[in-house]
Amino acid sequence: MCRPSSLFVWLLLGSALATVLQAQAVPGDRTADLRAKVVETRVLAIDWVATSGKKDAEALLLPLLADRDWEIQERTATAFGTMKGKSGLRALIDLAVDGDVVRVRRAAALAAAAIDPVESANAIYKQCKGKTQVAAQEALGLVLRGHSGFAEADKLKKLLRDASAPIRESAAVAFLEGAPVRADALRLLLDEPFVAVRSCVLDAVTEAPRSEDLEPLAAAFAGKGQNEVVGRRLVRALAAVLAAGEGDRAQRALTVLQQAGTDPLVLARRARILPLLVQGQKPVLDQKTAAKAIEAALGSRDGSARAAAAHALRDIGGPEALAIGVQQFDSEPDARVQWQLIESVAALREPTTPEAVAWLTKIVQGSYSSAVRERAIVRLGRTGVTGACEVLAAATGDSEWRIACCAAVSLGRTDDDAAGPTLLQLCKHKDWKLRGAAVTGLMHWSREATVEPLLGMLADEDPIVARTAHEALRTISRKYDSKPDAKAWRTWWTAAKGKHDFADREAAQAKQKAYGYAAAAIDVFTGLDVVVLQSVGVEGGGGDHIESLLDELKIAHRTTQPTKIQAACVHPEGVFVSNCWGKLADQDLEPLQWFVATGGSLFGSCWALTETIARIEPEVVQQAVTRDQVMDDVRALPCRAGSPLLTGVFPPSVVPIYHLEGAHLIQVLDPERCEVLIDSPDAAERWGCGNLAAWFVCGHGVLFDSANHFDLQGLAKVSELLKTDKDRQAYAVDHMGLSLADWRATKSAGYWKNPQKATASVPDLSAFRLLTNFVRSKRMGVY
């Protein structure tokens, strides 16, 4: 919103705009489009005017800073930053503090900084008080980027221990950017007791690094342990500073890493930073140099440091990393490290090569741990792998059923002609788990010879096996709308036999088109079998209810309850969602372990971390121990912004608020196997652990956990400060990811004026978008 003192000026300017526009009727001139009804047309006109070189460009655009549409405000502010037009400075300063949504305030602050950072900083600092204090300090931090020596820096420094977290965090960033000696300020801030202060400062460095940041960051990198949310940011910040430097960046980076020392913690950090230094348009290190630099971590006596290095090899890439991984495996005693080396070598070498197959089959036959052998079996399951069938067939007789089932699925995935006899024989096994795995293998093998056996398996005595056979036929036939009906399948096969294309080369491309990241969420779930474990029979009610959200979104799903998982017919082509509480009966565990091992995707929320996920696969994640039950609202931030699994979860300037109601925060036991996608400095500061969403592979499948409830997000749990319809709309844009297009289409709707109706009409889909991305990946064949 504009300051009252500015409104009269905007009204005068608005009335003058028509006169100015009338004088612009020149061929090719787009100034008339500034008043178009279609916002997209106006946006294009703003961009055109900003780069047109017209003498009156600023006068044309100035009234639009007060436009009622937030996208017009944002785009106009950016245009003034491009033009560096001084006439808009006063309005930009006001907008940087008083703008309704974060993205508008941010655009205005950056534009003001581009025009006159000194005048802007002084004017904005005067508003660092009262209700505008936090917004003004946030704007000040942006304006001061690259401009040390702000006169009021010491006053900002005094706010670092303020009782209000938003005040001290925004003051910390502004103090960092404006301090007379940047390095001293950063050193001081990295020693602050508040986790969120350290985190936001490191995020600011990552976004806008300076050369003065190198020494304090290098010292912290070589120093003591930090909370893991700080540790992640420390690595990212140092990588950003090294990448932004001038001169011999490679030598500077190698020197910093070498001088950091050989403490196991430092070596693990070293392993995690090296992949960042080989990425980007201007890599700091080439792959060969980075691979050489990681050898120190691989030579550590500490298994955790070696595991971090083994994981990093695949992100570094290149033939040198591959050679190091193969060599390291021969002498590596730790199963965790061996597991990571298998993943890295498999990622760095085409799995269909004779060398790759020979290496993996040797591991399958070796005296390694079950987890290591299982991983090698899974990695052999790739189309075009030849020479592995004999070893995989032998593994289907392993005494551990998970290894046997993974081997059966991998046999089918090889698409090797020699895989068929073993899979057909397994269909007669007395153990339902092996029969079900054989059916899944036949689905991947996908030949005419598989159809009759699969038709027969529709009558299997075990409901999971019978349903898996139906799903296999759906996949092979590409008739995804078919119901479980043996007679209908027989009719289809009578007509299709001898005509059906089992090697449809366009199928993969069709999957990419149907389920790619451009597809709407509802389309991603179309035809997918989604099974939800309901929260029923728990003390005092409670629990999560994603089925309510699925009903609202009109996404088809089935529900089940504890003790009934076998009857629910889970199968590896489907998705299983374990609501909080997630309490399984003992007889439920084996069917879900089989489901994931053979390729299923399982998602859990809150207590499901403990009651479902950690029971299916122990020693990877568990509930973090906290002094009290976790009841909180915390800001959620991306750990790896470029991850495709986070596509759409964090739109520009959006910070989701996760409502934690008795939440099980995620303690990661094996950080190289489990990727934390979302964390929260707020949760880390107040509860000791900040991991909110994490995932890992298990057998042929995937396990994912979110600490929050899917159905407790959004407007229902927010501050009482949301008094008006505009307040609610701004919150939805800033924290729920409501797009400006959707806001524009609904902003006049009556439900915004009523808190209850707004809550019911505007669901928070931030956590659901994350789940959707995993489903996309599954349906595209990524996992």
Side-chain angles (χ1 to χ4, degrees):
M1 69 186 72
C2 298
R3 288 184 156 297
S5 59
S6 303
L7 288 177
F8 183 66
V9 176
W10 297 132
L11 290 172
L12 287 176
L13 287 170
S15 64
L17 178 59
T19 305
V20 177
L21 290 177
Q22 290 172 2
Q24 303 298 323
V26 211
D29 197 315
R30 304 194 64 170
T31 53
D33 288 342
L34 292 174
R35 302 185 69 193
K37 292 183 178 180
V38 178
V39 169
E40 290 77 9
T41 302
R42 298 180 71 198
V43 165
L44 292 174
I46 290 168
D47 294 345
W48 183 87
V49 171
T51 57
S52 66
K54 294 174 65 67
K55 293 181 180 180
D56 55 352
E58 292 181 33
L60 287 167
L61 296 181
L62 188 57
L64 300 184
L65 289 173
D67 197 89
R68 293 180 179 180
D69 190 285
W70 292 334
E71 186 171 359
I72 296 298
Q73 290 181 358
E74 178 187 31
R75 202 60 165 255
T76 305
T78 301
F80 268 96
T82 300
M83 297 185 299
K84 295 183 171 51
K86 188 92 175 185
S87 64
L89 185 58
R90 184 65 252 178
L92 289 168
I93 290 170
D94 288 344
L95 199 58
V97 177
D98 294 329
D100 292 316
V101 292
V102 171
R103 55 191 296 171
V104 168
R105 296 196 297 271
R106 182 181 175 86
L110 291 174
I115 297 168
D116 191 331
V118 175
E119 182 178 340
S120 299
N122 290 330
I124 289 173
Y125 180 73
K126 293 176 182 177
Q127 301 181 57
C128 291
K129 55 188 176 183
K131 293 182 179 180
T132 63
Q133 181 170 2
V134 173
Q137 287 176 178
E138 289 173 344
L140 184 61
L142 293 171
V143 167
L144 289 173
R145 281 184 177 177
H147 301 283
S148 298
F150 180 57
E152 309 295 346
D154 284 343
K155 293 180 181 177
L156 292 167
K157 180 180 176 182
K158 293 177 181 179
L159 298 174
L160 298 180
R161 303 291 175 87
D162 193 274
S164 167
I167 288 176
R168 62 177 178 255
E169 291 160 22
S170 56
V173 174
F175 169 63
L176 171 70
E177 301 292 6
V181 182
R182 167 104 168 180
D184 288 348
L186 182 54
R187 200 176 293 109
L188 171 71
L189 290 165
L190 292 178
D191 281 335
E192 280 297 294
F194 296 106
V195 170
V197 165
R198 282 177 272 149
S199 296
C200 68
V201 163
L202 288 167
D203 285 340
V205 171
T206 301
E207 194 171 342
R210 297 195 213 172
S211 59
E212 304 98 305
D213 300 329
L214 181 58
E215 187 278 326
L217 287 180
F221 185 87
K224 61 186 179 181
Q226 299 266 12
N227 185 288
E228 60 190 309
V229 304
V230 178
R232 292 186 193 109
R233 286 161 173 77
L234 174 58
V235 170
R236 291 202 300 261
L238 180 56
V241 171
L242 290 169
E246 300 294 336
D248 193 339
R249 297 180 301 146
Q251 185 56 54
R252 185 180 301 111
L254 294 174
T255 299
V256 167
L257 298 183
Q258 185 176 11
Q259 291 178 347
T262 58
D263 181 86
L265 172 65
V266 172
L267 289 175
R269 287 173 177 167
R270 177 173 180 165
R272 292 172 186 138
I273 198 174
L274 283 167
L276 300 178
L277 298 178
V278 300
Q279 297 168 5
Q281 294 183 341
K282 296 174 62 178
V284 177
L285 302 176
D286 58 40
Q287 291 176 324
K288 182 177 181 179
T289 303
K292 179 68 176 175
I294 211 167
E295 290 180 347
L298 284 171
S300 172
R301 293 183 180 181
D302 181 76
S304 296
R306 297 200 307 279
H311 184 131
L313 286 171
R314 57 183 174 272
D315 295 324
I316 290 172
E320 292 81 14
L322 170 61
I324 290 171
V326 172
Q327 181 181 9
Q328 180 76 17
F329 191 89
D330 291 338
S331 58
E332 179 54 58
D334 191 318
R336 291 178 305 159
V337 185
Q338 292 168 348
W339 197 99
Q340 291 299 328
L341 289 168
I342 288 172
E343 289 291 273
S344 289
V345 171
L348 294 171
R349 178 165 59 188
E350 180 61 43
T352 57
T353 62
E355 296 84 4
V357 174
W359 188 73
L360 288 169
T361 53
K362 183 178 178 181
I363 295 171
V364 175
Q365 295 173 303
S367 56
Y368 299 99
S369 72
S370 298
V372 170
R373 293 179 60 230
E374 179 185 294
R375 205 68 214 147
I377 287 169
V378 169
R379 285 306 172 197
L380 282 168
R382 294 291 183 274
T383 300
V385 167
T386 57
C389 281
E390 184 177 349
V391 171
L392 289 174
T396 62
D398 197 275
S399 59
E400 295 192 35
W401 68 260
R402 264 185 49 164
I403 286 182
C405 287
C406 285
V409 175
S410 283
L411 262 176
R413 284 182 175 274
T414 64
D415 201 35
D416 192 324
D417 290 339
T422 298
L423 293 173
L424 294 172
Q425 186 62 34
L426 277 177
C427 287
K428 304 173 185 177
H429 201 282
K430 62 180 181 180
D431 187 339
W432 73 266
K433 298 188 293 297
L434 269 296
R435 296 199 306 276
V439 168
T440 304
L442 287 173
M443 176 189 70
H444 293 295
W445 199 52
S446 188
R447 285 163 168 73
E448 186 165 307
T450 66
V451 178
E452 285 294 343
L454 289 174
L455 290 172
M457 297 305 287
L458 291 170
D460 193 273
E461 62 182 9
D462 188 276
I464 288 181
V465 177
R467 180 60 186 247
T468 303
H470 164 69
E471 295 296 332
L473 288 167
R474 285 212 313 167
T475 299
I476 287 172
S477 66
R478 299 184 291 282
K479 292 172 61 68
Y480 297 108
D481 56 349
S482 298
K483 306 299 182 185
D485 184 330
K487 184 177 179 181
W489 279 123
R490 174 61 66 183
T491 300
W492 166 76
W493 184 234
T494 299
K497 188 175 182 178
K499 305 173 185 176
H500 184 67
D501 181 7
F502 288 88
D504 185 355
R505 300 306 177 191
E506 297 180 359
Q509 295 177 353
K511 278 187 176 183
Q512 293 286 338
K513 183 177 181 179
Y515 308 125
Y517 288 98
I522 188 67
D523 295 331
V524 174
F525 285 88
T526 300
L528 182 68
D529 189 28
V530 179
V531 181
V532 178
L533 177 66
Q534 290 181 300
S535 294
V536 294
V538 294
E539 313 89 78
D544 198 4
H545 300 282
I546 194 175
E547 64 271 25
S548 300
L549 179 59
L550 296 176
D551 284 337
E552 187 175 343
L553 297 174
K554 295 181 172 54
I555 293 176
H557 60 281
R558 301 186 284 133
T559 59
T560 187
Q561 298 176 6
T563 75
K564 299 180 180 180
I565 302 300
Q566 193 89 20
C569 307
V570 293
H571 56 85
E573 285 298 282
V575 165
F576 187 90
V577 183
S578 184
N579 272 322
C580 176
W581 303 43
K583 293 185 176 182
L584 303 175
D586 289 343
Q587 66 261 40
D588 296 330
L589 186 58
E590 188 174 77
L592 286 179
Q593 289 175 322
W594 175 87
F595 162 77
V596 176
T598 54
S601 296
L602 187 146
F603 309 104
S605 66
C606 199
W607 282 32
L609 169 69
T610 303
E611 301 293 347
T612 301
I613 292 173
R615 292 181 67 189
I616 290 174
E617 185 73 334
E619 301 181 359
V620 180
V621 291
Q622 67 181 21
Q623 177 193 4
V625 177
T626 55
R627 65 187 181 278
D628 297 306
Q629 191 178 33
V630 178
M631 308 290 287
D632 208 348
D633 292 287
V634 300
R635 291 165 294 180
L637 300 172
C639 294
R640 184 162 64 93
S643 171
L645 293 173
L646 293 178
T647 298
V649 178
F650 293 93
S653 301
V654 172
V655 178
I657 304 296
Y658 275 26
H659 179 71
L660 306 179
E661 191 161 295
H664 285 199
L665 297 173
I666 305 167
Q667 180 183 355
V668 177
L669 303 175
D670 189 341
E672 308 316 321
R673 184 170 170 187
C674 178
E675 180 184 19
V676 178
L677 287 169
I678 298 174
D679 68 10
S680 171
D682 296 338
E685 183 172 295
R686 298 197 282 264
W687 303 99
C689 177
N691 300 328
L692 299 182
W695 74 286
F696 58 96
V697 294
C698 179
H700 287 278
V702 171
L703 290 165
F704 160 72
D705 181 70
S706 177
N708 68 319
H709 287 190
F710 288 105
D711 68 340
L712 289 180
Q713 303 304 111
L715 293 167
K717 299 292 180 179
V718 299
S719 166
E720 295 179 356
L721 294 175
L722 302 185
K723 300 292 187 182
T724 69
D725 53 346
K726 182 177 285 188
D727 291 339
R728 296 182 192 99
Q729 292 170 8
Y731 184 93
V733 170
D734 288 343
H735 301 296
M736 295 165 58
L738 181 70
S739 71
L740 292 184
D742 288 341
W743 161 75
R744 187 180 301 114
T746 65
K747 67 178 182 178
S748 299
Y751 58 71
W752 284 111
K753 298 183 181 298
N754 183 290
Q756 290 73 34
K757 291 182 179 179
T759 296
S761 303
V762 190
D764 187 341
L765 300 179
S766 57
F768 179 74
R769 292 184 187 105
L770 186 58
L771 186 151
T772 300
N773 286 339
F774 275 97
V775 173
R776 290 182 199 273
S777 298
K778 176 182 179 64
R779 303 203 78 176
M780 290 165 63
V782 177
Y783 302 113

